[in-house]
Amino acid sequence: MTCTADSVVAAIRAVAQVVIEHKAELSHLDREIGDGDHGENLAKGFTAVVAKLDTTSTPTPGAVLKLVATTLISTVGGASGPLFGTAFLRAATSCGDAQTLDADQVVVALKAAVDGVVARGKAEIGDKTMVDALIPAAEAARSAADAGGSIADVLTAAANGAESGAASAIPLRARKGRASYLGERSMGHADPGATSVTYLLQSLAVGAAGTAAAAVES
Amino acid sequence: MTCTADSVVAAIRAVAQVVIEHKAELSHLDREIGDGDHGENLAKGFTAVVAKLDTTSTPTPGAVLKLVATTLISTVGGASGPLFGTAFLRAATSCGDAQTLDADQVVVALKAAVDGVVARGKAEIGDKTMVDALIPAAEAARSAADAGGSIADVLTAAANGAESGAASAIPLRARKGRASYLGERSMGHADPGATSVTYLLQSLAVGAAGTAAAAVES
Amino acid sequence: MKKIINDPTTVVQEALAGLAAAHADLLKVSYDPMFIARADAPISGQVALVSGGGSGHEPLHGGFVGAGMLAAACPGAIFTSPTPDQVIAAAQAVDGGAGVLLIVKNYTGDVLNFETAAELAEAEGISVATVVVDDDVAVKDSTWTAGRRGVGGTVLLEKIAGAAAARGDDLDSVAAIATRVNDQVRSMGMALTPCTVPHSGEPSFTLADDEMEMGVGIHGEPGRERMKLTSADEIVATLLDSIVEDLPFQSGDKTLLFVNGMGGTPLVELYLAYNSARKYLAERGIEVSRSLVGNYITSLEMQGCSITLLKLDDEFTQLWDAPVHTAALRWGV
Amino acid sequence: MKKIINDPTTVVQEALAGLAAAHADLLKVSYDPMFIARADAPISGQVALVSGGGSGHEPLHGGFVGAGMLAAACPGAIFTSPTPDQVIAAAQAVDGGAGVLLIVKNYTGDVLNFETAAELAEAEGISVATVVVDDDVAVKDSTWTAGRRGVGGTVLLEKIAGAAAARGDDLDSVAAIATRVNDQVRSMGMALTPCTVPHSGEPSFTLADDEMEMGVGIHGEPGRERMKLTSADEIVATLLDSIVEDLPFQSGDKTLLFVNGMGGTPLVELYLAYNSARKYLAERGIEVSRSLVGNYITSLEMQGCSITLLKLDDEFTQLWDAPVHTAALRWGV
Ligand SMILES: Nc1ncnc2c1ncn2[C@@H]1O[C@H](COP(=O)(O)OP(=O)(O)O)[C@@H](O)[C@H]1O
Ligand SMILES: Nc1ncnc2c1ncn2[C@@H]1O[C@H](COP(=O)(O)OP(=O)(O)O)[C@@H](O)[C@H]1O
Ligand SMILES: [Mg+2]
Ligand SMILES: [Mg+2]
Ligand SMILES: [Mg+2]
Ligand SMILES: [Mg+2]
């Protein structure tokens, strides 16, 4: 089964809710090794996204992702604004005008998003940034798709990849972003951005699984 | 027995020591209903006085008191500077060129000092200022002298008068000086200046009693 | 106590040395007795403004020494008025033959020390006039108090009277203008936190996390009333209610609105409070034609603000706009 | 959290409204997207300087908008960089046809957002140059970090480059001068206390009563090292040791010494620190020919200071002395 513009919209709304729920926690993580605004930044951005979705018609998955991208870029600020924005923008481009996406297209879009973040932020894996969660996520998604997995399988794999990637970054010393100013003092703390992208992918996975289940029932 | 320039110098040195010992306490009282500097102000002034006494020759009691006055005026600052300064200046004037002072001259000098403070500060008894300690002190000294008391008796009476005057001012609402800004909130606190003049007179009394005792022995 | 200092007993001297080094073109400092004078003083034939008071209110007064404002400032120890010998020495150093106007904030200590100084200066043949500033409406002026305190209005008075002196007015006229400013200006302040005098090391008072001190003085004296912390709009309204009703300021009045920080409050909060004050005054038809926002008369690191409102006439406005060149206020040069 | 505010979410907007009302002669404010522009912009034929960054550093950057300095400033949320659409709108509003120089403090968020803005502005046909300020020696510039942060040097760079633009230099020359300032300036800061971002309500870090944070950033980021609180002379020496050895500054160099407050530190401590810095530099034969002392690039109510040292040449000195008319820096007009 494939995913439509409407299910992408539903997925984004779910993501927005999850981000807002974890706002305080994400800002707390950012206070530990940053400037304490990551939760507010994303909550502000996704609140704006939801408002935009309510008032804008988005015929294709790509159109939805493009709207998310431009809204995040113009509302978030901070490092995560352009990074999340670029991710959604690249994903949108990779979707083109497709009316629906299958598992493979989802993986390709995810890979494009990750490449976009790397291109913008120039972070490598091990720098203790969201990239440490994103790259394993894209790889896990790829293998799940190659093994014939559904969209739900692919996104679940991605979420798990992100989670373990984020976890493995905890002991590391940050080399990019604000946390890098702390040098060794950044070690032992979870990276806010790696954590937020993990929540984002987990929300997508749960949503996709739900849709799939619903589809089976019907 | 009478008092000489030297015994006045010794008395002032003793006063300086007492003021410095009570510096923190006086500033604490001033923090309660003022700006917390009364102890520092007087300690600074009397430290300068002692230094001046070490280097200046003061042939008469009046000369000693004049030196104290000018030094306090030029070093204390704050309300207490000109007030203590005026007090010592008027006392000095009342002593003239006398080589020694008897009990009656001491009372006259004390009265002149008190009148000087009232003239400068325009405070009345009951305004919760040093005047509340000084006026009873002068009155008690007068009666002690009239009763034929010695310098020690006179100063002891003055010290006791000041102490009870300062105590009776505690419940009052300040109407002069910084404490007056507090209105009713000044009630229930001891007035720093009334307290410091009490210590000053007590130190003089103790000193005079000591000298008298010494005189008897010899 | 957390401060960037070396020794509590030398804070004022060291800060003065810094001021002198940073502004050698503007001012010179004498250390014993302590005063700050215009580098080019005395200005022959020009009335010289001499002010002073306890330190800890920077930039007041030393930051206002220079062309178009003060000829000299006498800093006392922190929160303690200067001594008469400082004032006399300063007056002698800057008197250009046209006399000296002493500007004194109404605190017993300042008044008594400047009074003594004035007597001695007169005796030295310097013609002296004195204006006592008492603009703080937090203190009821009655036989029950030492009278209103001099606060934010002092800054405006020093600027306007300084411009009058610079324009060549004689001592009586400058004193008259200064007195007129004091008649037309009202202020009130509040604090979110106390401050700590270096040599004492103890906070001047204590406030709970949800309390503020209304009508606070600038020496860490507690204020008129302790209240629960509220919004900027309510704080500003409380301050302006007392200020506006006191003069009173009326619809149609032209004013200078001065929102002052107590030293530890960031500019973003001061501009926010200024915005709130503008709305309050607009609703009452009171026009704001001149403004000053910033930390100009402070209480060390105290957090809080004060509002000062001056009723302007054409002469005040002209004198306010006239060039001034000091460390803390500068325009037109 | 004790602040004079109404609502944590509207602090920046309300403060901007205050700034606009207090300085209507100097600047105008756009609220959506948010930017502050010179009242008389665009100035045809003149290069326009556009800067910006998170709010909470006031007077930076809005207080530096005006003749001889910035054409526009884009304030983000507190401590959060502005978004590209703000920068594009500001650039369009102030471009006088001679191009726009973007002045960006080196933080990932600012760099990425201004980068995105530059791409889009170019696409709109505005010629854009960018200079990234990274003068903070507290951060070792290596593959181990996002590179040095932009701090106090930004103020000096905006003044000097602004004067170059006002004098009529073209975009390349103004950008070249700005780059040269960045090459010649070094800074480092320290904090006695943390600060609290209004919408978070929690202090950015915690320090014991006897601790200070050395090499602190201006966003409440913890610094290079936590140390026991020590004397002003030792604090200044620690900051200047890193600054002087880095460029390095040498005996005989002419410099501009800028002692900056973090927002909650009173002027008396800043002048005391300035005095201490003068002694340190004099011992090393480093001449201070220009000075700036005050709160110019702050971290809300944080207590602490930073020192910035710029190596001066004749051109820098001329451009520094050139007239400037902004809310926070004014001389020669
Ligand atoms: N160069 C970079 N590449 C990828 N991600 C980055 C980079 N720099 C920072 N990040 C991510 O951004 C997160 C911080 O985002 P946020 O707090 O919103 O922005 P800011 O640091 O500007 O306050 C970090 O936790 C990190 O995951
Ligand atoms: N008008 C006055 N007449 C007499 N004594 C006064 C007057 N005003 C203040 N005082 C005394 O001065 C004391 C405060 O002195 P001090 O703290 O040294 O000066 P300041 O109030 O200037 O800080 C008060 O406790 C009070 O006794
Ligand atoms: Mg952050
Ligand atoms: Mg006192
Ligand atoms: Mg005092
Ligand atoms: Mg941020």
Side-chain angles (χ1 to χ4, degrees):
Chain A
M1 61 148 288
T2 62
C3 104
T4 63
D6 289 354
S7 46
V8 177
V9 168
I12 297 296
R13 292 186 186 279
V15 165
Q17 205 173 342
V18 167
V19 165
I20 289 158
E21 277 160 14
H22 291 83
K23 175 173 137 180
E25 175 199 346
L26 292 169
S27 284
H28 172 77
L29 291 178
D30 196 34
R31 253 197 309 284
E32 293 297 315
I33 60 171
D35 59 352
D37 61 2
H38 188 54
E40 275 75 17
N41 292 350
L42 290 188
K44 192 177 13 147
F46 277 96
T47 307
V49 164
V50 169
K52 272 274 173 62
L53 288 172
D54 293 341
T55 58
T56 322
S57 88
T58 45
T60 62
V64 180
L65 296 172
K66 179 133 197 286
L67 185 71
V68 175
T70 52
T71 309
L72 291 179
I73 289 175
S74 65
T75 54
V76 173
S80 52
L83 292 167
F84 274 72
T86 305
F88 279 96
L89 205 56
R90 296 291 188 93
T93 316
S94 90
C95 297
D97 304 336
Q99 293 299 314
T100 64
L101 306 177
D102 62 19
D104 197 72
Q105 288 167 297
V106 168
V107 173
V108 173
L110 179 58
K111 179 70 167 61
V114 175
D115 293 346
V117 170
V118 172
R120 251 267 167 257
K122 318 234 172 0
E124 296 163 11
I125 195 149
D127 286 351
K128 194 182 182 113
T129 70
M130 60 177 71
V131 167
D132 289 7
L134 289 171
I135 285 177
E139 286 166 358
R142 174 77 278 161
S143 349
D146 295 349
S150 69
I151 292 180
D153 301 332
V154 161
L155 289 172
T156 308
N160 297 337
E163 186 169 16
S164 51
S168 61
I170 292 176
L172 301 181
R173 169 177 170 171
R175 307 210 295 180
K176 282 273 184 293
R178 242 177 244 297
S180 67
Y181 305 140
L182 285 178
E184 319 220 313
R185 289 163 75 182
S186 64
M187 292 156 74
H189 295 279
D191 176 66
T195 310
S196 57
V197 297
T198 302
Y199 285 135
L200 184 149
L201 288 165
Q202 284 171 341
S203 156
L204 292 178
V206 171
T211 330
V216 171
E217 279 153 28
S218 61
Chain B
M1 61 147 282
T2 62
C3 104
T4 64
D6 289 354
S7 46
V8 177
V9 168
I12 296 297
R13 291 185 186 280
V15 165
Q17 206 173 340
V18 168
V19 165
I20 289 158
E21 276 159 14
H22 291 85
K23 175 173 136 180
E25 175 199 345
L26 293 170
S27 284
H28 172 76
L29 291 179
D30 196 34
R31 251 196 311 284
E32 293 297 316
I33 59 172
D35 60 351
D37 61 1
H38 188 55
E40 274 74 18
N41 291 350
L42 290 187
K44 187 172 24 140
F46 277 96
T47 306
V49 164
V50 170
K52 271 274 173 63
L53 288 172
D54 293 340
T55 58
T56 322
S57 87
T58 46
T60 62
V64 180
L65 296 172
K66 179 130 197 284
L67 184 72
V68 174
T70 52
T71 308
L72 291 179
I73 289 175
S74 64
T75 55
V76 173
S80 52
L83 292 166
F84 274 71
T86 305
F88 280 97
L89 204 56
R90 295 293 189 90
T93 317
S94 90
C95 297
D97 304 336
Q99 292 300 314
T100 63
L101 306 177
D102 62 20
D104 197 72
Q105 288 167 296
V106 168
V107 174
V108 172
L110 179 58
K111 179 72 167 62
V114 175
D115 293 346
V117 170
V118 172
R120 251 269 165 256
K122 319 243 173 348
E124 296 163 11
I125 196 148
D127 286 351
K128 194 180 182 113
T129 70
M130 60 176 72
V131 167
D132 288 9
L134 289 170
I135 286 176
E139 286 166 359
R142 172 80 278 158
S143 350
D146 295 349
S150 69
I151 292 181
D153 301 332
V154 161
L155 289 172
T156 309
N160 296 338
E163 186 169 15
S164 52
S168 63
I170 291 176
L172 301 181
R173 167 178 172 172
R175 307 210 295 178
K176 282 273 185 293
R178 243 177 244 297
S180 68
Y181 305 139
L182 285 178
E184 318 221 310
R185 289 162 76 182
S186 64
M187 293 158 74
H189 295 279
D191 176 66
T195 310
S196 57
V197 297
T198 302
Y199 285 135
L200 185 150
L201 289 165
Q202 283 171 340
S203 157
L204 292 179
V206 171
T211 331
V216 171
E217 279 154 29
S218 61
Chain C
M1 173 177 67
K2 284 188 154 185
K3 294 185 184 296
I4 304 173
I5 61 174
N6 291 310
D7 169 352
T9 65
T10 59
V11 168
V12 175
Q13 288 82 341
E14 291 181 62
L16 277 183
L19 186 76
H23 306 289
D25 54 325
L26 282 179
L27 49 86
K28 54 197 175 198
V29 169
S30 151
Y31 293 92
D32 185 18
M34 207 181 274
F35 66 88
I36 303 158
R38 274 178 68 156
D40 55 0
I43 311 291
S44 140
Q46 198 176 95
V47 172
L49 272 56
V50 174
S51 190
S55 294
H57 308 304
E58 291 66 24
L60 184 90
H61 296 277
F64 300 136
V65 170
M69 211 160 166
L70 298 180
C74 305
I78 286 181
F79 293 170
T80 300
S81 65
T83 56
D85 56 317
Q86 293 175 256
V87 179
I88 296 153
Q92 286 169 327
V94 299
D95 178 27
V100 173
L101 177 66
L102 300 180
I103 300 173
V104 186
K105 302 194 294 307
N106 188 36
Y107 300 92
T108 304
D110 296 77
V111 169
L112 296 182
N113 282 283
F114 275 87
E115 225 170 61
T116 312
E119 290 164 11
L120 298 167
E122 296 271 5
E124 306 263 329
I126 300 174
S127 46
V128 175
T130 299
V131 55
V132 175
V133 190
D134 59 347
D135 57 318
D136 186 352
V137 299
V139 177
K140 292 268 144 295
D141 188 3
S142 73
T143 59
W144 279 98
T145 67
R148 287 177 165 177
R149 299 172 294 210
V151 287
T154 314
V155 177
L156 309 185
L157 185 149
E158 291 178 354
K159 167 64 182 84
I160 289 171
R167 134 184 115 176
D169 291 12
D170 66 19
L171 183 56
D172 292 347
S173 326
V174 175
I177 283 173
T179 306
R180 207 151 58 75
V181 172
N182 188 56
D183 294 340
Q184 300 297 316
V185 71
R186 297 293 186 272
S187 302
M188 186 163 154
M190 56 79 58
L192 297 174
T193 63
C195 57
T196 300
V197 176
H199 58 244
S200 119
E202 316 243 352
S204 52
F205 52 86
T206 50
L207 281 173
D209 284 352
D210 63 344
E211 286 180 333
M212 61 181 176
E213 192 74 31
M214 266 292 159
V216 76
I218 56 170
H219 301 84
E221 315 95 304
R224 180 200 273 183
E225 183 178 9
R226 190 152 299 183
M227 297 172 131
K228 288 268 167 264
L229 181 56
T230 136
S231 72
D233 286 345
E234 289 175 61
I235 291 168
V236 165
T238 308
L239 298 176
L240 279 173
D241 283 344
S242 308
I243 290 170
V244 166
E245 82 165 26
D246 189 274
L247 191 64
F249 291 89
Q250 279 147 345
S251 176
D253 285 351
K254 276 191 162 45
T255 64
L256 187 163
L257 171 60
F258 171 27
V259 173
N260 173 66
M262 290 295 188
T265 288
L267 216 45
V268 65
E269 293 177 45
L270 297 181
Y271 275 109
L272 191 150
Y274 173 87
N275 183 52
S276 172
R278 283 296 293 260
K279 285 186 289 177
Y280 176 104
L281 295 170
E283 282 162 14
R284 286 154 185 78
I286 298 169
E287 182 186 339
V288 175
S289 52
R290 293 293 183 276
S291 299
L292 185 66
V293 182
N295 289 278
Y296 291 103
I297 172 170
T298 62
S299 281
L300 295 172
E301 76 284 4
M302 179 184 279
Q303 285 180 40
C305 71
S306 64
I307 296 182
T308 296
L309 200 60
L310 168 66
K311 184 170 171 180
L312 288 172
D313 57 26
D314 292 350
E315 183 175 35
F316 283 174
T317 307
Q318 273 173 27
L319 292 169
W320 176 257
D321 291 342
V324 59
H325 187 179
T326 69
L329 273 190
R330 180 172 179 178
W331 55 76
V333 259
Chain D
M1 171 177 70
K2 284 189 154 182
K3 295 183 184 295
I4 304 173
I5 61 176
N6 291 309
D7 170 352
T9 66
T10 58
V11 169
V12 175
Q13 288 83 339
E14 291 180 62
L16 277 183
L19 186 76
H23 306 289
D25 54 324
L26 282 178
L27 48 86
K28 53 195 174 200
V29 169
S30 153
Y31 292 92
D32 186 19
M34 207 181 270
F35 65 88
I36 304 158
R38 274 178 67 157
D40 55 359
I43 313 291
S44 137
Q46 199 177 95
V47 172
L49 273 55
V50 174
S51 190
S55 294
H57 308 304
E58 291 67 25
L60 185 90
H61 295 275
F64 301 136
V65 169
M69 212 159 167
L70 298 181
C74 305
I78 285 181
F79 292 170
T80 300
S81 64
T83 56
D85 55 316
Q86 293 176 258
V87 179
I88 296 155
Q92 286 169 327
V94 300
D95 179 26
V100 172
L101 176 67
L102 300 180
I103 300 173
V104 185
K105 303 195 293 308
N106 188 37
Y107 300 92
T108 304
D110 296 75
V111 169
L112 296 183
N113 282 283
F114 275 86
E115 226 170 60
T116 312
E119 290 163 12
L120 298 168
E122 295 273 5
E124 306 264 330
I126 300 175
S127 45
V128 175
T130 298
V131 55
V132 175
V133 191
D134 59 347
D135 57 318
D136 186 353
V137 299
V139 177
K140 291 269 145 294
D141 188 3
S142 73
T143 58
W144 279 97
T145 68
R148 288 176 166 176
R149 299 172 294 212
V151 287
T154 314
V155 177
L156 310 185
L157 186 150
E158 290 178 353
K159 168 64 182 84
I160 290 171
R167 145 182 106 175
D169 291 14
D170 64 19
L171 182 56
D172 292 348
S173 326
V174 176
I177 283 172
T179 306
R180 206 150 59 73
V181 172
N182 188 56
D183 294 340
Q184 300 297 316
V185 72
R186 296 294 184 273
S187 303
M188 186 163 153
M190 57 78 60
L192 296 175
T193 63
C195 58
T196 300
V197 176
H199 59 245
S200 119
E202 314 244 352
S204 51
F205 52 85
T206 49
L207 281 174
D209 284 352
D210 63 344
E211 286 180 333
M212 60 181 176
E213 192 75 31
M214 266 292 159
V216 77
I218 57 170
H219 301 85
E221 314 96 302
R224 181 199 273 183
E225 181 177 11
R226 191 153 298 184
M227 297 171 133
K228 288 268 165 265
L229 180 56
T230 141
S231 72
D233 286 345
E234 288 176 60
I235 290 168
V236 166
T238 308
L239 298 176
L240 279 173
D241 284 344
S242 308
I243 289 169
V244 167
E245 82 164 27
D246 189 274
L247 190 66
F249 291 89
Q250 279 148 345
S251 176
D253 286 350
K254 277 192 160 47
T255 63
L256 187 163
L257 171 61
F258 170 27
V259 173
N260 173 68
M262 290 296 188
T265 289
L267 216 44
V268 65
E269 293 178 43
L270 297 181
Y271 274 108
L272 190 150
Y274 173 87
N275 183 53
S276 173
R278 283 297 293 260
K279 285 185 290 176
Y280 176 105
L281 295 170
E283 283 162 11
R284 286 156 184 77
I286 299 168
E287 182 187 337
V288 175
S289 51
R290 294 294 183 275
S291 299
L292 185 65
V293 181
N295 290 279
Y296 292 102
I297 172 170
T298 61
S299 281
L300 295 172
E301 76 283 4
M302 180 185 279
Q303 284 181 41
C305 71
S306 65
I307 297 183
T308 295
L309 200 60
L310 168 67
K311 185 170 169 181
L312 288 172
D313 57 28
D314 292 349
E315 184 175 34
F316 284 173
T317 307
Q318 273 173 28
L319 292 168
W320 177 257
D321 291 343
V324 59
H325 187 179
T326 70
L329 274 190
R330 179 173 181 178
W331 55 75
V333 258

